[in-house]
Amino acid sequence: MDRSDNMRRIRSKNTGPELIVRRLLYSLGYRYRLHRADLPGKPDLVFGRRRKVIFVHGCFWHQHSRCKITHVPQSNGEYWAPKLARNKARDVRTKAKLRKLGWDYLIIWECETKDPEKLKGRLVSFL
Ligand SMILES: [Zn+2]
């Protein structure tokens, strides 16, 4: 598998952490739409009536600050650093756009999906 194949796989929409969040919310009785393309950032989960969206962010791709999973790879640093910086900048713009349109958002980080009870608490209090 070369790097581009590997990247496509990692970036595919139905990633582990996202599935954890979806299954949990579904089991709690919440219903949502996925990846609505008409909203900024194509949010992972959309709660239309509540005007709320949830993003499940990979700690690496979205450069979760102060996180163990996040680091710019030593090899190919000049390839990764600008790419990851762009992702982060895009996230900032997306959040501003959503706010402007009157949507509330929650970011769930990949590392936060490891503790189901804590995750549940965050999701329920947001929704
Ligand atoms: Zn993290």
Side-chain angles (χ1 to χ4, degrees):
M1 195 185 283
D2 68 18
R3 187 169 69 194
S4 58
D5 284 338
N6 199 30
M7 274 175 48
R8 264 193 292 279
R9 193 173 55 81
I10 292 168
R11 297 184 93 167
S12 77
K13 275 295 172 187
N14 294 317
T15 54
E18 188 183 327
L19 279 184
I20 291 171
V21 172
R22 274 154 61 173
R23 286 206 193 100
L24 183 57
L25 285 169
Y26 196 87
S27 73
L28 292 169
Y30 292 103
R31 297 297 176 263
Y32 42 80
R33 284 183 58 194
L34 300 174
H35 311 133
R36 253 180 69 177
D38 60 322
L39 288 176
K42 216 173 159 195
D44 297 317
L45 289 86
V46 178
F47 302 81
R49 267 184 299 124
R50 301 168 198 262
R51 249 181 134 67
K52 288 178 178 178
V53 302
I54 294 176
F55 291 94
V56 183
H57 275 356
C59 294
F60 172 71
W61 284 107
H62 297 269
Q63 292 291 286
H64 189 197
S65 50
R66 293 184 299 276
C67 172
K68 278 190 295 241
I69 304 176
T70 308
H71 64 282
V72 176
Q74 292 293 307
S75 64
N76 291 312
E78 51 313 330
Y79 169 83
W80 287 109
K83 199 178 185 64
L84 295 171
R86 274 199 302 277
N87 285 351
K88 213 172 159 66
R90 190 187 310 124
D91 290 340
V92 171
R93 289 195 303 274
T94 296
K95 288 189 272 189
K97 284 185 201 159
L98 283 167
R99 279 260 186 260
K100 230 175 151 180
L101 293 169
W103 288 81
D104 203 3
Y105 61 81
L106 175 71
I107 310 292
I108 296 291
W109 292 95
E110 174 186 357
C111 61
E112 294 171 336
T113 60
K114 317 275 185 223
D115 180 344
E117 277 311 306
K118 224 167 136 186
L119 177 64
K120 189 168 148 185
R122 285 203 66 201
L123 292 170
V124 170
S125 68
F126 169 68
L127 292 167

